[in-house]
Amino acid sequence: MNTAPASASGSGPGPTGDHRWLTAEEQRVWRSYLHATTLLEDHLDRQLQRDAGMPHIYYGLLVQLAESPGRRLRMTELARNAKITRSRLSHAVARLEKNGWVRREDCPSDKRGQFAVLTEEGRDVLRRTAPGHVAAVRQALFDRLTSEQQKSLGEIMQIVAEGLQPDEAGADLPWLR
């Protein structure tokens, strides 16, 4: 993914207007970030497909439910926490229901609302899958970094996330659609 005009790499017409193109070092960092995150997500997806027959996004949904009071969350909250559209969440929950790992319940206080609820079978899948997943995360990320690098990475990712997560109501975010 090129984020600079041809002239930034030494050929072609120069940048026009007030564009602030990435420097060569920023371009290197950006591409390293894209490469690493793509490889990491693929690594975790393959591990979870092999060990539990599910993609990483489904595992994350099950973990959210397991950590919620009563092992349940409103579907809208689950979509917001997972940063996915409600449509994509609905499809994922349908697959998780088919496996017997989640069930939906109507919300008694809101006729249009629904809860996703982690079943005992879903909890068992998490118990069996979590050790291998933690080992994969550790091997792919944490074992490669010093304690100081881990702290820096956490701080950097928090700054990036806070800058991209608008607080205002009515923000145009996919998980609010």
mmCIF file of all heavy atoms in Angstrom, residues 84-131:
data_model
loop_
_atom_site.group_PDB
_atom_site.id
_atom_site.type_symbol
_atom_site.label_atom_id
_atom_site.label_comp_id
_atom_site.label_asym_id
_atom_site.label_seq_id
_atom_site.Cartn_x
_atom_site.Cartn_y
_atom_site.Cartn_z
ATOM 1 N N ILE A 84 -17.310 -4.339 15.077
ATOM 2 C CA ILE A 84 -17.841 -4.903 13.830
ATOM 3 C C ILE A 84 -19.271 -4.422 13.640
ATOM 4 O O ILE A 84 -19.928 -4.003 14.593
ATOM 5 C CB ILE A 84 -17.781 -6.447 13.796
ATOM 6 C CG1 ILE A 84 -18.594 -7.066 14.940
ATOM 7 C CG2 ILE A 84 -16.343 -6.935 13.822
ATOM 8 C CD1 ILE A 84 -18.670 -8.600 14.906
ATOM 9 N N THR A 85 -19.752 -4.482 12.399
ATOM 10 C CA THR A 85 -21.119 -4.064 12.124
ATOM 11 C C THR A 85 -22.096 -5.019 12.793
ATOM 12 O O THR A 85 -21.781 -6.188 13.055
ATOM 13 C CB THR A 85 -21.412 -4.042 10.616
ATOM 14 O OG1 THR A 85 -21.310 -5.377 10.111
ATOM 15 C CG2 THR A 85 -20.473 -3.101 9.869
ATOM 16 N N ARG A 86 -23.280 -4.531 13.050
ATOM 17 C CA ARG A 86 -24.314 -5.389 13.636
ATOM 18 C C ARG A 86 -24.660 -6.540 12.689
ATOM 19 O O ARG A 86 -24.952 -7.643 13.131
ATOM 20 C CB ARG A 86 -25.544 -4.570 13.977
ATOM 21 C CG ARG A 86 -25.296 -3.672 15.180
ATOM 22 C CD ARG A 86 -26.538 -2.911 15.552
ATOM 23 N NE ARG A 86 -26.217 -1.488 15.482
ATOM 24 C CZ ARG A 86 -27.080 -0.532 15.718
ATOM 25 N NH1 ARG A 86 -28.322 -0.824 15.996
ATOM 26 N NH2 ARG A 86 -26.715 0.713 15.651
ATOM 27 N N SER A 87 -24.604 -6.266 11.389
ATOM 28 C CA SER A 87 -24.875 -7.307 10.398
ATOM 29 C C SER A 87 -23.834 -8.424 10.484
ATOM 30 O O SER A 87 -24.177 -9.609 10.486
ATOM 31 C CB SER A 87 -24.878 -6.690 8.999
ATOM 32 O OG SER A 87 -24.957 -7.681 8.020
ATOM 33 N N ARG A 88 -22.569 -8.043 10.569
ATOM 34 C CA ARG A 88 -21.503 -9.054 10.680
ATOM 35 C C ARG A 88 -21.632 -9.810 12.000
ATOM 36 O O ARG A 88 -21.417 -11.020 12.063
ATOM 37 C CB ARG A 88 -20.134 -8.381 10.577
ATOM 38 C CG ARG A 88 -18.991 -9.368 10.579
ATOM 39 C CD ARG A 88 -17.677 -8.733 10.244
ATOM 40 N NE ARG A 88 -16.630 -9.719 10.284
ATOM 41 C CZ ARG A 88 -15.365 -9.455 10.482
ATOM 42 N NH1 ARG A 88 -14.964 -8.203 10.624
ATOM 43 N NH2 ARG A 88 -14.476 -10.410 10.524
ATOM 44 N N LEU A 89 -21.987 -9.095 13.065
ATOM 45 C CA LEU A 89 -22.182 -9.756 14.356
ATOM 46 C C LEU A 89 -23.326 -10.751 14.278
ATOM 47 O O LEU A 89 -23.216 -11.869 14.778
ATOM 48 C CB LEU A 89 -22.458 -8.738 15.462
ATOM 49 C CG LEU A 89 -22.787 -9.384 16.816
ATOM 50 C CD1 LEU A 89 -21.567 -10.090 17.383
ATOM 51 C CD2 LEU A 89 -23.314 -8.351 17.779
ATOM 52 N N SER A 90 -24.419 -10.361 13.657
ATOM 53 C CA SER A 90 -25.572 -11.247 13.539
ATOM 54 C C SER A 90 -25.184 -12.540 12.821
ATOM 55 O O SER A 90 -25.574 -13.637 13.240
ATOM 56 C CB SER A 90 -26.696 -10.533 12.802
ATOM 57 O OG SER A 90 -27.844 -11.332 12.772
ATOM 58 N N HIS A 91 -24.400 -12.413 11.760
ATOM 59 C CA HIS A 91 -23.921 -13.594 11.026
ATOM 60 C C HIS A 91 -23.027 -14.458 11.930
ATOM 61 O O HIS A 91 -23.172 -15.680 11.978
ATOM 62 C CB HIS A 91 -23.164 -13.155 9.774
ATOM 63 C CG HIS A 91 -22.570 -14.284 9.017
ATOM 64 N ND1 HIS A 91 -23.320 -15.156 8.255
ATOM 65 C CD2 HIS A 91 -21.279 -14.700 8.922
ATOM 66 C CE1 HIS A 91 -22.518 -16.063 7.715
ATOM 67 N NE2 HIS A 91 -21.278 -15.809 8.104
ATOM 68 N N ALA A 92 -22.105 -13.816 12.656
ATOM 69 C CA ALA A 92 -21.198 -14.554 13.545
ATOM 70 C C ALA A 92 -21.976 -15.272 14.647
ATOM 71 O O ALA A 92 -21.716 -16.443 14.932
ATOM 72 C CB ALA A 92 -20.168 -13.599 14.152
ATOM 73 N N VAL A 93 -22.921 -14.571 15.254
ATOM 74 C CA VAL A 93 -23.706 -15.188 16.331
ATOM 75 C C VAL A 93 -24.541 -16.348 15.786
ATOM 76 O O VAL A 93 -24.692 -17.384 16.451
ATOM 77 C CB VAL A 93 -24.565 -14.136 17.070
ATOM 78 C CG1 VAL A 93 -25.585 -14.789 17.987
ATOM 79 C CG2 VAL A 93 -23.659 -13.194 17.865
ATOM 80 N N ALA A 94 -25.051 -16.222 14.568
ATOM 81 C CA ALA A 94 -25.797 -17.334 13.955
ATOM 82 C C ALA A 94 -24.898 -18.572 13.835
ATOM 83 O O ALA A 94 -25.341 -19.693 14.117
ATOM 84 C CB ALA A 94 -26.334 -16.926 12.584
ATOM 85 N N ARG A 95 -23.646 -18.377 13.431
ATOM 86 C CA ARG A 95 -22.698 -19.502 13.336
ATOM 87 C C ARG A 95 -22.385 -20.079 14.710
ATOM 88 O O ARG A 95 -22.294 -21.292 14.885
ATOM 89 C CB ARG A 95 -21.405 -19.055 12.658
ATOM 90 C CG ARG A 95 -21.529 -18.647 11.205
ATOM 91 C CD ARG A 95 -21.718 -19.831 10.257
ATOM 92 N NE ARG A 95 -20.695 -20.840 10.342
ATOM 93 C CZ ARG A 95 -19.546 -20.857 9.674
ATOM 94 N NH1 ARG A 95 -19.270 -19.876 8.840
ATOM 95 N NH2 ARG A 95 -18.702 -21.836 9.825
ATOM 96 N N LEU A 96 -22.210 -19.192 15.696
ATOM 97 C CA LEU A 96 -21.929 -19.650 17.053
ATOM 98 C C LEU A 96 -23.131 -20.384 17.652
ATOM 99 O O LEU A 96 -22.968 -21.354 18.391
ATOM 100 C CB LEU A 96 -21.503 -18.469 17.932
ATOM 101 C CG LEU A 96 -20.163 -17.831 17.555
ATOM 102 C CD1 LEU A 96 -19.960 -16.514 18.311
ATOM 103 C CD2 LEU A 96 -19.010 -18.787 17.807
ATOM 104 N N GLU A 97 -24.337 -19.926 17.305
ATOM 105 C CA GLU A 97 -25.563 -20.622 17.737
ATOM 106 C C GLU A 97 -25.624 -22.019 17.127
ATOM 107 O O GLU A 97 -25.974 -22.985 17.809
ATOM 108 C CB GLU A 97 -26.807 -19.845 17.293
ATOM 109 C CG GLU A 97 -27.178 -18.691 18.163
ATOM 110 C CD GLU A 97 -28.433 -17.997 17.666
ATOM 111 O OE1 GLU A 97 -28.475 -17.576 16.492
ATOM 112 O OE2 GLU A 97 -29.384 -17.886 18.467
ATOM 113 N N LYS A 98 -25.309 -22.112 15.847
ATOM 114 C CA LYS A 98 -25.341 -23.398 15.137
ATOM 115 C C LYS A 98 -24.403 -24.404 15.808
ATOM 116 O O LYS A 98 -24.710 -25.593 15.884
ATOM 117 C CB LYS A 98 -24.945 -23.177 13.678
ATOM 118 C CG LYS A 98 -25.035 -24.397 12.813
ATOM 119 C CD LYS A 98 -24.681 -24.067 11.374
ATOM 120 C CE LYS A 98 -24.671 -25.336 10.549
ATOM 121 N NZ LYS A 98 -24.186 -25.100 9.194
ATOM 122 N N ASN A 99 -23.267 -23.900 16.331
ATOM 123 C CA ASN A 99 -22.316 -24.768 17.035
ATOM 124 C C ASN A 99 -22.759 -25.069 18.468
ATOM 125 O O ASN A 99 -22.132 -25.881 19.142
ATOM 126 C CB ASN A 99 -20.933 -24.114 17.074
ATOM 127 C CG ASN A 99 -20.268 -24.067 15.725
ATOM 128 O OD1 ASN A 99 -20.622 -24.807 14.817
ATOM 129 N ND2 ASN A 99 -19.311 -23.185 15.578
ATOM 130 N N GLY A 100 -23.793 -24.367 18.944
ATOM 131 C CA GLY A 100 -24.268 -24.576 20.307
ATOM 132 C C GLY A 100 -23.475 -23.802 21.346
ATOM 133 O O GLY A 100 -23.609 -24.059 22.543
ATOM 134 N N TRP A 101 -22.672 -22.832 20.916
ATOM 135 C CA TRP A 101 -21.799 -22.103 21.827
ATOM 136 C C TRP A 101 -22.437 -20.829 22.361
ATOM 137 O O TRP A 101 -22.005 -20.285 23.374
ATOM 138 C CB TRP A 101 -20.486 -21.762 21.147
ATOM 139 C CG TRP A 101 -19.721 -22.959 20.672
ATOM 140 C CD1 TRP A 101 -19.892 -24.262 21.065
ATOM 141 C CD2 TRP A 101 -18.683 -22.985 19.703
ATOM 142 N NE1 TRP A 101 -19.024 -25.081 20.404
ATOM 143 C CE2 TRP A 101 -18.260 -24.328 19.554
ATOM 144 C CE3 TRP A 101 -18.062 -22.008 18.937
ATOM 145 C CZ2 TRP A 101 -17.247 -24.704 18.696
ATOM 146 C CZ3 TRP A 101 -17.044 -22.383 18.075
ATOM 147 C CH2 TRP A 101 -16.649 -23.721 17.965
ATOM 148 N N VAL A 102 -23.452 -20.333 21.674
ATOM 149 C CA VAL A 102 -24.145 -19.095 22.049
ATOM 150 C C VAL A 102 -25.622 -19.296 21.780
ATOM 151 O O VAL A 102 -25.999 -20.071 20.901
ATOM 152 C CB VAL A 102 -23.608 -17.896 21.207
ATOM 153 C CG1 VAL A 102 -24.468 -16.662 21.360
ATOM 154 C CG2 VAL A 102 -22.168 -17.573 21.576
ATOM 155 N N ARG A 103 -26.454 -18.605 22.533
ATOM 156 C CA ARG A 103 -27.884 -18.550 22.223
ATOM 157 C C ARG A 103 -28.318 -17.097 22.332
ATOM 158 O O ARG A 103 -27.687 -16.294 22.999
ATOM 159 C CB ARG A 103 -28.693 -19.446 23.147
ATOM 160 C CG ARG A 103 -28.835 -18.963 24.548
ATOM 161 C CD ARG A 103 -29.783 -19.845 25.379
ATOM 162 N NE ARG A 103 -29.902 -19.303 26.705
ATOM 163 C CZ ARG A 103 -29.078 -19.558 27.711
ATOM 164 N NH1 ARG A 103 -28.072 -20.389 27.539
ATOM 165 N NH2 ARG A 103 -29.256 -18.996 28.885
ATOM 166 N N ARG A 104 -29.379 -16.775 21.617
ATOM 167 C CA ARG A 104 -29.941 -15.424 21.684
ATOM 168 C C ARG A 104 -31.147 -15.449 22.612
ATOM 169 O O ARG A 104 -31.887 -16.428 22.645
ATOM 170 C CB ARG A 104 -30.395 -14.952 20.307
ATOM 171 C CG ARG A 104 -29.268 -14.722 19.348
ATOM 172 C CD ARG A 104 -29.820 -14.213 18.039
ATOM 173 N NE ARG A 104 -29.013 -14.688 16.930
ATOM 174 C CZ ARG A 104 -28.673 -13.959 15.893
ATOM 175 N NH1 ARG A 104 -29.093 -12.716 15.798
ATOM 176 N NH2 ARG A 104 -27.940 -14.453 14.937
ATOM 177 N N GLU A 105 -31.326 -14.346 23.301
ATOM 178 C CA GLU A 105 -32.504 -14.162 24.144
ATOM 179 C C GLU A 105 -33.062 -12.777 23.869
ATOM 180 O O GLU A 105 -32.301 -11.825 23.707
ATOM 181 C CB GLU A 105 -32.150 -14.273 25.632
ATOM 182 C CG GLU A 105 -31.754 -15.656 26.067
ATOM 183 C CD GLU A 105 -31.403 -15.715 27.558
ATOM 184 O OE1 GLU A 105 -31.408 -14.660 28.242
ATOM 185 O OE2 GLU A 105 -31.103 -16.820 28.023
ATOM 186 N N ASP A 106 -34.385 -12.682 23.846
ATOM 187 C CA ASP A 106 -35.021 -11.377 23.683
ATOM 188 C C ASP A 106 -34.795 -10.545 24.933
ATOM 189 O O ASP A 106 -34.728 -11.072 26.043
ATOM 190 C CB ASP A 106 -36.521 -11.539 23.423
ATOM 191 C CG ASP A 106 -36.797 -12.143 22.056
ATOM 192 O OD1 ASP A 106 -35.974 -11.954 21.137
ATOM 193 O OD2 ASP A 106 -37.836 -12.822 21.915
ATOM 194 N N CYS A 107 -34.720 -9.249 24.736
ATOM 195 C CA CYS A 107 -34.552 -8.313 25.840
ATOM 196 C C CYS A 107 -35.939 -7.973 26.385
ATOM 197 O O CYS A 107 -36.789 -7.475 25.640
ATOM 198 C CB CYS A 107 -33.843 -7.060 25.340
ATOM 199 S SG CYS A 107 -33.642 -5.801 26.605
ATOM 200 N N PRO A 108 -36.190 -8.250 27.651
ATOM 201 C CA PRO A 108 -37.529 -7.991 28.197
ATOM 202 C C PRO A 108 -37.912 -6.512 28.238
ATOM 203 O O PRO A 108 -39.087 -6.181 28.159
ATOM 204 C CB PRO A 108 -37.473 -8.570 29.614
ATOM 205 C CG PRO A 108 -36.046 -8.787 29.918
ATOM 206 C CD PRO A 108 -35.291 -8.835 28.633
ATOM 207 N N SER A 109 -36.932 -5.621 28.336
ATOM 208 C CA SER A 109 -37.240 -4.189 28.436
ATOM 209 C C SER A 109 -37.269 -3.477 27.087
ATOM 210 O O SER A 109 -37.632 -2.319 27.014
ATOM 211 C CB SER A 109 -36.216 -3.505 29.347
ATOM 212 O OG SER A 109 -34.922 -3.596 28.780
ATOM 213 N N ASP A 110 -36.868 -4.180 26.014
ATOM 214 C CA ASP A 110 -36.814 -3.569 24.687
ATOM 215 C C ASP A 110 -37.181 -4.638 23.662
ATOM 216 O O ASP A 110 -36.385 -5.538 23.396
ATOM 217 C CB ASP A 110 -35.404 -3.016 24.434
ATOM 218 C CG ASP A 110 -35.232 -2.412 23.055
ATOM 219 O OD1 ASP A 110 -36.201 -2.384 22.271
ATOM 220 O OD2 ASP A 110 -34.108 -1.957 22.764
ATOM 221 N N LYS A 111 -38.351 -4.520 23.086
ATOM 222 C CA LYS A 111 -38.850 -5.547 22.158
ATOM 223 C C LYS A 111 -37.911 -5.775 20.966
ATOM 224 O O LYS A 111 -37.875 -6.858 20.410
ATOM 225 C CB LYS A 111 -40.238 -5.161 21.645
ATOM 226 C CG LYS A 111 -41.267 -5.067 22.741
ATOM 227 C CD LYS A 111 -41.993 -6.359 22.865
ATOM 228 C CE LYS A 111 -43.161 -6.179 23.807
ATOM 229 N NZ LYS A 111 -43.255 -7.214 24.791
ATOM 230 N N ARG A 112 -37.152 -4.747 20.581
ATOM 231 C CA ARG A 112 -36.257 -4.890 19.428
ATOM 232 C C ARG A 112 -34.882 -5.423 19.823
ATOM 233 O O ARG A 112 -34.125 -5.857 18.973
ATOM 234 C CB ARG A 112 -36.084 -3.548 18.711
ATOM 235 C CG ARG A 112 -37.374 -3.029 18.109
ATOM 236 C CD ARG A 112 -37.173 -1.739 17.380
ATOM 237 N NE ARG A 112 -36.431 -0.758 18.191
ATOM 238 C CZ ARG A 112 -35.858 0.328 17.738
ATOM 239 N NH1 ARG A 112 -35.915 0.620 16.471
ATOM 240 N NH2 ARG A 112 -35.228 1.147 18.543
ATOM 241 N N GLY A 113 -34.546 -5.370 21.094
ATOM 242 C CA GLY A 113 -33.217 -5.755 21.548
ATOM 243 C C GLY A 113 -33.076 -7.252 21.783
ATOM 244 O O GLY A 113 -34.047 -7.950 22.067
ATOM 245 N N GLN A 114 -31.856 -7.720 21.649
ATOM 246 C CA GLN A 114 -31.546 -9.120 21.927
ATOM 247 C C GLN A 114 -30.235 -9.208 22.693
ATOM 248 O O GLN A 114 -29.362 -8.350 22.567
ATOM 249 C CB GLN A 114 -31.393 -9.922 20.632
ATOM 250 C CG GLN A 114 -32.685 -10.301 19.979
ATOM 251 C CD GLN A 114 -32.447 -11.353 18.900
ATOM 252 O OE1 GLN A 114 -31.487 -11.265 18.146
ATOM 253 N NE2 GLN A 114 -33.326 -12.320 18.828
ATOM 254 N N PHE A 115 -30.118 -10.279 23.463
ATOM 255 C CA PHE A 115 -28.885 -10.600 24.146
ATOM 256 C C PHE A 115 -28.234 -11.783 23.453
ATOM 257 O O PHE A 115 -28.929 -12.671 22.950
ATOM 258 C CB PHE A 115 -29.159 -11.022 25.597
ATOM 259 C CG PHE A 115 -29.532 -9.898 26.506
ATOM 260 C CD1 PHE A 115 -30.863 -9.626 26.783
ATOM 261 C CD2 PHE A 115 -28.554 -9.124 27.112
ATOM 262 C CE1 PHE A 115 -31.216 -8.598 27.636
ATOM 263 C CE2 PHE A 115 -28.897 -8.090 27.963
ATOM 264 C CZ PHE A 115 -30.232 -7.824 28.232
ATOM 265 N N ALA A 116 -26.912 -11.803 23.458
ATOM 266 C CA ALA A 116 -26.162 -13.006 23.110
ATOM 267 C C ALA A 116 -25.710 -13.588 24.443
ATOM 268 O O ALA A 116 -25.218 -12.858 25.312
ATOM 269 C CB ALA A 116 -24.963 -12.672 22.239
ATOM 270 N N VAL A 117 -25.898 -14.891 24.611
ATOM 271 C CA VAL A 117 -25.588 -15.550 25.878
ATOM 272 C C VAL A 117 -24.658 -16.727 25.605
ATOM 273 O O VAL A 117 -24.937 -17.558 24.734
ATOM 274 C CB VAL A 117 -26.885 -16.065 26.567
ATOM 275 C CG1 VAL A 117 -26.567 -16.705 27.906
ATOM 276 C CG2 VAL A 117 -27.893 -14.933 26.722
ATOM 277 N N LEU A 118 -23.564 -16.792 26.346
ATOM 278 C CA LEU A 118 -22.619 -17.891 26.219
ATOM 279 C C LEU A 118 -23.208 -19.132 26.884
ATOM 280 O O LEU A 118 -23.627 -19.088 28.039
ATOM 281 C CB LEU A 118 -21.285 -17.524 26.882
ATOM 282 C CG LEU A 118 -20.163 -18.545 26.767
ATOM 283 C CD1 LEU A 118 -19.694 -18.658 25.319
ATOM 284 C CD2 LEU A 118 -18.997 -18.152 27.681
ATOM 285 N N THR A 119 -23.251 -20.236 26.158
ATOM 286 C CA THR A 119 -23.769 -21.496 26.709
ATOM 287 C C THR A 119 -22.652 -22.235 27.453
ATOM 288 O O THR A 119 -21.474 -21.877 27.351
ATOM 289 C CB THR A 119 -24.292 -22.405 25.584
ATOM 290 O OG1 THR A 119 -23.181 -22.775 24.753
ATOM 291 C CG2 THR A 119 -25.384 -21.721 24.763
ATOM 292 N N GLU A 120 -23.034 -23.275 28.184
ATOM 293 C CA GLU A 120 -22.032 -24.115 28.860
ATOM 294 C C GLU A 120 -21.093 -24.743 27.846
ATOM 295 O O GLU A 120 -19.888 -24.839 28.081
ATOM 296 C CB GLU A 120 -22.715 -25.203 29.700
ATOM 297 C CG GLU A 120 -23.242 -24.710 31.016
ATOM 298 C CD GLU A 120 -22.174 -24.078 31.914
ATOM 299 O OE1 GLU A 120 -21.048 -24.603 31.997
ATOM 300 O OE2 GLU A 120 -22.478 -23.033 32.513
ATOM 301 N N GLU A 121 -21.646 -25.158 26.707
ATOM 302 C CA GLU A 121 -20.805 -25.736 25.656
ATOM 303 C C GLU A 121 -19.806 -24.698 25.140
ATOM 304 O O GLU A 121 -18.635 -25.016 24.895
ATOM 305 C CB GLU A 121 -21.675 -26.267 24.511
ATOM 306 C CG GLU A 121 -20.914 -27.103 23.523
ATOM 307 C CD GLU A 121 -21.809 -27.715 22.455
ATOM 308 O OE1 GLU A 121 -23.041 -27.783 22.637
ATOM 309 O OE2 GLU A 121 -21.251 -28.135 21.420
ATOM 310 N N GLY A 122 -20.241 -23.463 24.994
ATOM 311 C CA GLY A 122 -19.345 -22.383 24.580
ATOM 312 C C GLY A 122 -18.260 -22.137 25.612
ATOM 313 O O GLY A 122 -17.090 -21.905 25.268
ATOM 314 N N ARG A 123 -18.630 -22.188 26.861
ATOM 315 C CA ARG A 123 -17.647 -22.030 27.943
ATOM 316 C C ARG A 123 -16.616 -23.148 27.914
ATOM 317 O O ARG A 123 -15.416 -22.909 28.104
ATOM 318 C CB ARG A 123 -18.381 -22.043 29.282
ATOM 319 C CG ARG A 123 -18.008 -20.923 30.170
ATOM 320 C CD ARG A 123 -18.942 -20.861 31.327
ATOM 321 N NE ARG A 123 -18.134 -20.886 32.536
ATOM 322 C CZ ARG A 123 -18.620 -20.808 33.734
ATOM 323 N NH1 ARG A 123 -19.908 -20.740 33.921
ATOM 324 N NH2 ARG A 123 -17.831 -20.804 34.765
ATOM 325 N N ASP A 124 -17.076 -24.360 27.655
ATOM 326 C CA ASP A 124 -16.163 -25.505 27.564
ATOM 327 C C ASP A 124 -15.185 -25.338 26.404
ATOM 328 O O ASP A 124 -14.001 -25.658 26.528
ATOM 329 C CB ASP A 124 -16.945 -26.807 27.416
ATOM 330 C CG ASP A 124 -17.701 -27.194 28.676
ATOM 331 O OD1 ASP A 124 -17.384 -26.657 29.764
ATOM 332 O OD2 ASP A 124 -18.621 -28.024 28.566
ATOM 333 N N VAL A 125 -15.679 -24.846 25.267
ATOM 334 C CA VAL A 125 -14.812 -24.606 24.110
ATOM 335 C C VAL A 125 -13.736 -23.595 24.479
ATOM 336 O O VAL A 125 -12.559 -23.771 24.141
ATOM 337 C CB VAL A 125 -15.631 -24.130 22.889
ATOM 338 C CG1 VAL A 125 -14.737 -23.560 21.805
ATOM 339 C CG2 VAL A 125 -16.462 -25.262 22.339
ATOM 340 N N LEU A 126 -14.118 -22.531 25.178
ATOM 341 C CA LEU A 126 -13.135 -21.529 25.602
ATOM 342 C C LEU A 126 -12.099 -22.138 26.542
ATOM 343 O O LEU A 126 -10.901 -21.873 26.402
ATOM 344 C CB LEU A 126 -13.819 -20.350 26.300
ATOM 345 C CG LEU A 126 -14.353 -19.256 25.414
ATOM 346 C CD1 LEU A 126 -15.043 -18.187 26.258
ATOM 347 C CD2 LEU A 126 -13.251 -18.627 24.587
ATOM 348 N N ARG A 127 -12.542 -22.936 27.500
ATOM 349 C CA ARG A 127 -11.609 -23.569 28.447
ATOM 350 C C ARG A 127 -10.594 -24.440 27.718
ATOM 351 O O ARG A 127 -9.419 -24.452 28.075
ATOM 352 C CB ARG A 127 -12.379 -24.426 29.457
ATOM 353 C CG ARG A 127 -12.999 -23.638 30.562
ATOM 354 C CD ARG A 127 -13.499 -24.572 31.669
ATOM 355 N NE ARG A 127 -14.461 -23.884 32.473
ATOM 356 C CZ ARG A 127 -15.759 -24.139 32.518
ATOM 357 N NH1 ARG A 127 -16.274 -25.121 31.806
ATOM 358 N NH2 ARG A 127 -16.562 -23.449 33.285
ATOM 359 N N ARG A 128 -11.062 -25.179 26.715
ATOM 360 C CA ARG A 128 -10.155 -26.059 25.962
ATOM 361 C C ARG A 128 -9.233 -25.276 25.030
ATOM 362 O O ARG A 128 -8.097 -25.674 24.800
ATOM 363 C CB ARG A 128 -10.952 -27.063 25.136
ATOM 364 C CG ARG A 128 -11.611 -28.159 25.938
ATOM 365 C CD ARG A 128 -12.163 -29.265 25.047
ATOM 366 N NE ARG A 128 -12.995 -28.814 23.939
ATOM 367 C CZ ARG A 128 -14.308 -28.633 23.992
ATOM 368 N NH1 ARG A 128 -14.967 -28.860 25.114
ATOM 369 N NH2 ARG A 128 -14.979 -28.232 22.932
ATOM 370 N N THR A 129 -9.736 -24.185 24.475
ATOM 371 C CA THR A 129 -9.019 -23.438 23.447
ATOM 372 C C THR A 129 -8.081 -22.386 24.011
ATOM 373 O O THR A 129 -7.040 -22.094 23.397
ATOM 374 C CB THR A 129 -10.039 -22.762 22.505
ATOM 375 O OG1 THR A 129 -10.951 -23.748 22.037
ATOM 376 C CG2 THR A 129 -9.357 -22.127 21.318
ATOM 377 N N ALA A 130 -8.398 -21.812 25.148
ATOM 378 C CA ALA A 130 -7.630 -20.693 25.702
ATOM 379 C C ALA A 130 -6.142 -20.990 25.889
ATOM 380 O O ALA A 130 -5.307 -20.155 25.512
ATOM 381 C CB ALA A 130 -8.255 -20.208 27.006
ATOM 382 N N PRO A 131 -5.748 -22.132 26.445
ATOM 383 C CA PRO A 131 -4.305 -22.348 26.628
ATOM 384 C C PRO A 131 -3.510 -22.299 25.317
ATOM 385 O O PRO A 131 -2.440 -21.673 25.265
ATOM 386 C CB PRO A 131 -4.231 -23.740 27.265
ATOM 387 C CG PRO A 131 -5.550 -23.896 27.969
ATOM 388 C CD PRO A 131 -6.542 -23.208 27.060
#
